[in-house]
Amino acid sequence: MELDLFIRYGPALLSGFGITVLCWIVGSLGGMGLGFLIACLYQWSGSWGRACLQAYIEAVRGTPFMIQLFILYYGGPSFGLLLSPVQAGIFGFIIYGSPYFAEIFRAGFQAVPTGQFEAARCCGMTEWTIVRRIVLPQMLVSITAPLTNFMIILTKETAILSVVTVPELLFETQTMAAETFTYIEPFLALSLFYWAMVEFTSWLGRRVERHVTRHQNRQTP
Amino acid sequence: MTENSSSPANALITARGLGKHYGTFQALSGIDLDILKSEVTCLIGPSGSGKSTLLRCLNFLEAYDEGEVRIDGQLVGWQDGKASPRKPVSATKLREQRRQVGMVFQQFNLWPHMTAAQNVAEALVQVKGLSKAEARDKAILALARVNLRDKADNHPSALSGGQQQRVAIARAIAMEPRVVLFDEPTSALDPELVGEVLNVMRDLAADGMTMVVVTHEMGFAAHVANRVAFLDHGKLVACVPPDEIFRQDPADPRIRSFLQTYRERNVV
Amino acid sequence: MDFSFQVISHNFPYLVSAARWTILISFLGMLVGLLLGIGICAARLSHHGWLRRAAALYISFFRGVPLLVQLLAFFYILPYAGVNLPATVAAFLSIGMCSAAYNAEILRGSLQAISPGQREAADALGIPPLALWRRILVPQALRIGLPSHINELILLVKVSSLASVVGIGELTRVAQNITGQTYRPLEIYMATAVIYFVINALIAWGGRRLERRLGVGQR
Ligand SMILES: Nc1ncnc2c1ncn2[C@@H]1O[C@H](COP(=O)(O)OP(=O)(O)O)[C@@H](O)[C@H]1O
Ligand SMILES: [Mg+2]
């Protein structure tokens, strides 16, 4: 085995891993925020606004993440958007994830009966208060599973960032492989590593889910 | 078009020439109605006659498109003026107007993630700006008025339909509205639970609460209402004291045939 | 900012012809994924504990590792193992192997919707297991899960862009090449995105028609 190889390239791989995690966390939280915003806008838009938001959702979901990254990173300068690879990676992640998150939140909104909105409006609550106090707490239970699920999917999508030279884990591994002419071991090790990471986040997701739904049985006798 | 009749001095809500379309379908037309202070007005009529629509126009849950609704002389929902088409009032203004009007729904519409007390206290904190403790105290008082003090910390799912509806009534009255609108408050309840809700409503009426009640409980309309309004096909057929409706030979044939179905079931 | 439609119109034919490779890779990948997926699903539900565990491991691994990493590993391992395949074949095989894990899980879900009574009826008639799967279970399950399988196909069209990384001249790769010559990344990649979008919209449309034709969702 080429163990000394991994030791020699340890720091680079570690920093690659750090960037993977950074892009994943910042990107998916940002995507979640943007998705939530889109879902809120959708909830309170007229038919024209909804058509526009739907078009955005379909456009982003209908195209490969890689092409979106290329448009941002290579095409960005054409409209004055100069991004470093990591910036482009995070920004791309936010855009790529937003429609999927938006759909999750939209389903959450729809699960709250209109009567509850009306009751709140009759009490004189603002729309934001309604979202914060009536809708979000109820959604929380139903959206946790799809949210964590999609965040797990996103952990894998971080690998694609390597194509715009984001120095994340896959990129560093490729560099190491190219410099040392060893391919099999690094890539098998990398596969196992991603696998472990995904299994770990799934486990974490299930724990979060259990934590959030812990009151559910108490409410219904 | 709307100056056809002046309203009595003690009118809280006045509707003049009120109309509402859904697409090309005219759900309401030419409604002239006064809701007097401290009175109970019952809205009756066949299913689909526009009772809910009328009620929901009064607090602008439905945007009426003809005529006007005024609470204390102030136009509800639309900006007062000659502009055509009319512009809606600001969201802040609308919330202010709605705060004066409580509403109780057929399906209760309680918020399932909150206890009974939290359901009642929520708007007191969020809208009236009361502290949590003050709001809870008021909520408990309101729940006591509907005989539910001991259920304050139960979630709606742990309450019967009748209890849920009473919580909804407490939620509406805790905001100290000037009028409470009821849209078939007992229609979703099992028959044996109807009484407890009607009793609470009767108590409220006795306390001088202004109420507008859409109902199929003819007994309630006959004995508690000060006036009964009969709607048919989106038009107000009559708005008169209950004994003029419930006597043996009502003036209007539409009322007669409507009540006939109830008489056959020995309800009236 | 100057956006040149001329660059797009000039290069559009090249992009469209490259899109054929995208479609080929993703459809063949789907075919491999379905066939392999049926086998893995059968293994996942088999009576043999070790087969079940192996299938579960396969599903977990291929769903847990980024496809791009799978693709690269596959391309490095093949020559090492002495297998010589055309790159395109290797690409759709690799995509298919990954897709098999997802299709197997979709199938498993669909099979649960088929009443156990059918299986018992087949057992009572003495129908051998292979025939039961081939003639009774799989056709129904594919039909029930059709919307999900269509979704999977759309996903494959998108991930087929990863094949560009291992040098296959599909849509994304050709777009990169054209960009290298024209220095017009915005226009070219926008046009590429539109082509992907149209392919996926067509698949979604065709899928809906097929669903209606087969009466999916109606009982
Ligand atoms: N949102 C809506 N869109 C279209 N038609 C409606 C809508 N709401 C009510 N209607 C129609 O308006 C008429 C009156 O409805 P409603 O006020 O609910 O009657 P009621 O409460 O007396 O049973 C009915 O014919 C109903 O079909
Ligand atoms: Mg009604």
Side-chain angles (χ1 to χ4, degrees):
Chain A
M1 268 302 276
E2 323 263 343
L3 249 181
D4 57 325
L5 206 100
F6 288 104
I7 293 167
R8 187 144 47 91
Y9 280 88
L13 293 175
L14 214 61
S15 111
F17 175 65
I19 294 199
T20 291
V21 172
L22 175 85
C23 291
W24 174 56
I25 290 184
V26 179
S28 46
L29 288 184
M32 210 182 284
L34 183 58
F36 182 66
L37 189 72
I38 292 171
C40 284
L41 285 176
Y42 191 90
Q43 183 75 15
W44 283 281
S45 291
S47 49
W48 271 104
R50 286 190 172 191
C52 289
L53 293 169
Q54 193 64 44
Y56 170 83
I57 288 174
E58 297 299 339
V60 177
R61 286 203 306 185
T63 50
F65 183 33
M66 216 162 132
I67 297 294
Q68 293 164 15
L69 279 175
F70 285 168
I71 291 175
L72 260 181
Y73 184 63
Y74 297 117
S78 306
F79 50 94
L81 188 69
L82 273 164
L83 297 170
S84 74
V86 173
Q87 284 170 337
I90 289 175
F91 199 21
F93 237 69
I94 292 175
I95 289 176
Y96 170 71
S98 59
Y100 299 93
F101 284 118
E103 292 286 29
I104 294 172
F105 285 116
R106 189 159 71 175
F109 271 112
Q110 275 165 356
V112 178
T114 34
Q116 287 191 34
F117 284 88
E118 288 182 349
R121 285 189 193 123
C122 285
C123 293
M125 288 190 201
T126 65
E127 300 299 312
W128 173 236
T129 305
I130 297 175
V131 170
R132 202 166 44 87
R133 302 287 307 176
I134 311 292
V135 182
L136 268 181
Q138 290 189 65
M139 292 215 269
L140 200 62
V141 172
S142 63
I143 62 175
T144 308
L147 277 187
T148 50
N149 199 21
F150 188 64
M151 287 204 40
I152 292 160
I153 291 176
L154 285 183
T155 51
K156 289 184 291 169
E157 309 283 18
T158 54
I160 297 178
L161 299 181
S162 64
V163 296
V164 289
T165 69
V166 175
E168 48 67 77
L169 191 54
L170 173 58
F171 186 85
E172 296 292 357
T173 309
Q174 279 175 305
T175 311
M176 174 177 95
E179 285 174 9
T180 59
F181 301 106
T182 44
Y183 292 95
I184 305 276
E185 293 89 347
F187 274 89
L188 285 181
L190 186 66
S191 303
L192 292 177
F193 186 81
Y194 273 112
W195 189 17
M197 196 161 83
V198 166
E199 287 294 318
F200 174 72
T201 42
S202 316
W203 174 81
L204 214 62
R206 280 194 300 274
R207 287 206 48 164
V208 171
E209 216 180 302
R210 217 172 313 138
H211 180 76
V212 168
T213 53
R214 72 197 181 287
H215 291 305
Q216 219 176 6
N217 293 331
R218 230 181 280 164
Q219 274 187 26
T220 40
Chain B
M1 71 188 187
T2 57
E3 290 83 23
N4 42 10
S5 58
S6 63
S7 55
N10 62 338
L12 179 63
I13 304 179
T14 55
R16 287 292 174 270
L18 183 64
K20 168 76 189 167
H21 297 259
Y22 292 111
T24 55
F25 176 73
Q26 180 120 29
L28 284 181
S29 63
I31 305 278
D32 293 323
L33 181 67
D34 294 308
I35 306 297
L36 305 186
K37 281 177 191 145
S38 298
E39 277 201 2
V40 176
T41 309
C42 278
L43 294 180
I44 62 170
S47 187
S49 58
K51 304 180 297 293
S52 300
T53 307
L54 172 54
L55 202 68
R56 293 160 62 85
C57 282
L58 298 183
N59 65 352
F60 213 66
L61 273 183
E62 302 287 347
Y64 53 92
D65 36 35
E66 289 162 9
E68 46 187 43
V69 173
R70 289 180 185 273
I71 298 183
D72 260 351
Q74 195 184 62
L75 192 63
V76 175
W78 300 111
Q79 287 178 20
D80 219 344
K82 295 262 179 290
S84 172
R86 292 189 278 197
K87 289 199 190 69
V89 295
S90 71
T92 318
K93 180 85 185 162
L94 183 60
R95 280 198 299 277
E96 209 173 278
Q97 291 178 335
R98 279 192 181 143
R99 267 172 59 178
Q100 307 183 33
V101 183
M103 185 146 187
V104 175
F105 303 84
Q106 184 175 348
Q107 298 297 341
F108 330 135
N109 293 340
L110 293 181
W111 302 310
H113 58 300
M114 299 179 183
T115 63
Q118 286 167 343
N119 261 283
V120 180
E122 184 64 22
L124 296 173
V125 175
Q126 301 293 337
V127 179
K128 287 209 158 171
L130 267 56
S131 75
K132 281 219 174 88
E134 286 171 325
R136 177 161 172 99
D137 289 347
K138 276 199 118 165
I140 299 289
L141 281 180
L143 285 171
R145 274 183 86 180
V146 298
N147 309 320
L148 276 179
R149 178 184 292 214
D150 54 328
K151 298 287 184 192
D153 294 317
N154 285 33
H155 278 94
S157 54
L159 299 174
S160 73
Q163 291 169 334
Q164 289 187 50
Q165 190 60 298
R166 285 187 281 149
V167 173
I169 293 173
R171 177 173 69 180
I173 60 175
M175 291 294 286
E176 295 168 349
R178 311 198 47 196
V179 51
V180 183
L181 314 178
F182 295 80
D183 192 356
E184 302 197 25
T186 56
S187 295
L189 298 178
D190 293 337
E192 78 269 21
L193 301 176
V194 169
E196 60 188 63
V197 173
L198 292 182
N199 282 340
V200 162
M201 290 168 62
R202 191 170 300 150
D203 291 347
L204 282 183
D207 289 347
M209 176 67 81
T210 311
M211 293 161 52
V212 185
V213 185
V214 174
T215 188
H216 292 290
E217 296 294 331
M218 292 305 145
F220 182 85
H223 298 118
V224 182
N226 299 91
R227 287 184 315 145
V228 176
F230 181 82
L231 263 99
D232 191 42
H233 287 101
K235 293 206 167 59
L236 192 62
V237 175
C239 182
V240 290
D243 31 319
E244 286 183 40
I245 297 259
F246 294 109
R247 66 185 187 201
Q248 272 309 310
D249 54 335
D252 196 287
R254 286 169 287 185
I255 303 178
R256 216 176 302 147
S257 76
F258 174 70
L259 288 180
Q260 192 57 38
T261 57
Y262 283 88
R263 294 228 165 79
E264 277 160 15
R265 284 164 40 209
N266 292 323
V267 181
V268 180
Chain C
M1 169 183 164
D2 63 326
F3 192 91
S4 160
F5 284 98
Q6 211 187 335
V7 174
I8 293 181
S9 64
H10 188 247
N11 289 291
F12 208 67
Y14 302 112
L15 291 174
V16 169
S17 94
R20 288 180 314 184
W21 288 97
T22 289
I23 293 172
L24 187 75
I25 290 172
S26 43
F27 275 69
L28 287 177
M30 188 67 192
L31 192 67
V32 173
L34 266 181
L35 294 177
L36 197 55
I38 293 170
I40 290 164
C41 180
R44 184 84 178 76
L45 299 171
S46 108
H47 298 298
H48 303 289
W50 60 272
L51 249 180
R52 272 205 310 274
R53 274 192 295 278
L57 202 68
Y58 180 99
I59 291 170
S60 155
F61 180 80
F62 280 89
R63 295 208 307 177
V65 178
L67 180 57
L68 182 54
V69 175
Q70 288 180 34
L71 208 59
L72 289 167
F74 195 62
F75 269 73
Y76 293 134
I77 286 174
L78 276 186
Y80 183 81
V83 183
N84 231 327
L85 284 177
T88 315
V89 175
F92 77 69
L93 278 182
S94 176
I95 288 175
M97 273 160 56
C98 176
S99 179
Y102 290 91
N103 279 315
E105 285 295 87
I106 297 171
L107 273 170
R108 193 158 68 100
S110 311
L111 284 173
Q112 277 168 353
I114 299 176
S115 69
Q118 293 191 22
R119 205 178 285 230
E120 283 159 17
D123 281 346
L125 290 170
I127 295 176
L130 199 67
L132 169 72
W133 271 77
R134 203 166 62 85
R135 308 278 309 163
I136 298 172
L137 296 182
V138 170
Q140 286 189 76
L142 285 180
R143 210 164 113 159
I144 293 171
L146 186 62
S148 306
H149 291 299
I150 296 288
N151 243 345
E152 177 66 17
L153 179 58
I154 289 174
L155 215 74
L156 288 195
V157 170
K158 291 191 280 175
V159 298
S160 71
S161 63
L162 298 177
S164 66
V165 178
V166 290
I168 293 175
E170 46 64 77
L171 182 50
T172 299
R173 184 59 180 224
V174 168
Q176 282 173 304
N177 293 343
I178 296 175
T179 306
Q181 291 156 18
T182 58
Y183 300 105
R184 286 289 192 167
L186 186 62
E187 287 87 342
I188 299 299
Y189 290 132
M190 281 290 203
T192 310
V194 169
I195 296 177
Y196 274 112
F197 183 82
V198 169
I199 296 174
N200 283 334
L202 285 176
I203 294 175
W205 175 77
R208 276 195 301 275
R209 278 192 55 140
L210 195 61
E211 279 167 37
R212 221 170 311 135
R213 175 99 65 80
L214 298 178
V216 176
Q218 299 164 8
R219 288 284 154 85

